[in-house]
Amino acid sequence: MLCSASLLIIDGVFCAENAWEPHPAVDFTIFGGIQLPEFWVTVWISGPNTWGYFMEFDFDQRLFDVSPPFYPTYDTGTGIEDDSAGLNTEPLLRVQGNPFGNNLILNITSDVAVTCDVYLLDLSGRMVRESSIRDRVTIQTVDLPCGTYILLLELPGGILKSYKVVKL
């Protein structure tokens, strides 16, 4: 099996859903790159018998000096990502309903009246929606598949903030 991607797994673990299938075990090659906190069980070995997936990694040489397209920054929820003084106590953007359904409703929590650009990216980094926000915006998502998305907020001056959102 070959997975051609650059994977960023921020939370959770990477593991085989059924480590006892297939039998015998096969190679699962990730061509690109992977960043994650930890691996769990992907293969079961008992003497000469094997089940599951042997993890193999083939780094994409093109990633030595450049990140994948639209690779977002990520706020880990501390609220002080770009604030060296530690003064941010509230996120700049509030998502109403996360997980969300057919609409993604966003509110700016700051009193500063500026227009920001908002991008909704799928996990491969492709932009699936684009909008502008000054105080509140509703993004229609009825045609998007369920899953995890990255919401990227671009402030004037090029400062980026990102949020993880989930569509049910």
Side-chain angles (χ1 to χ4, degrees), residues 123-142:
L123 287 183
S124 67
R126 289 184 299 237
M127 184 173 47
V128 294
R129 292 291 185 274
E130 179 180 10
S131 185
S132 293
I133 182 172
R134 188 167 180 90
D135 55 0
R136 179 183 169 109
V137 70
T138 300
I139 300 174
Q140 300 295 319
T141 58
V142 68

Side-chain angles (χ1 to χ4, degrees), residues 97-117:
N98 189 19
F100 63 96
N102 294 335
N103 298 309
L104 183 57
I105 302 170
L106 310 173
N107 292 305
I108 295 288
T109 59
S110 171
D111 293 334
V112 179
V114 296
T115 301
C116 303
D117 293 321

Side-chain angles (χ1 to χ4, degrees), residues 71-94:
Y71 207 66
T73 58
Y74 186 75
D75 180 7
T76 58
T78 61
I80 58 172
E81 176 184 292
D82 294 318
D83 184 10
S84 59
L87 301 175
N88 284 343
T89 58
E90 180 177 311
L92 179 64
L93 185 70
R94 185 166 40 103

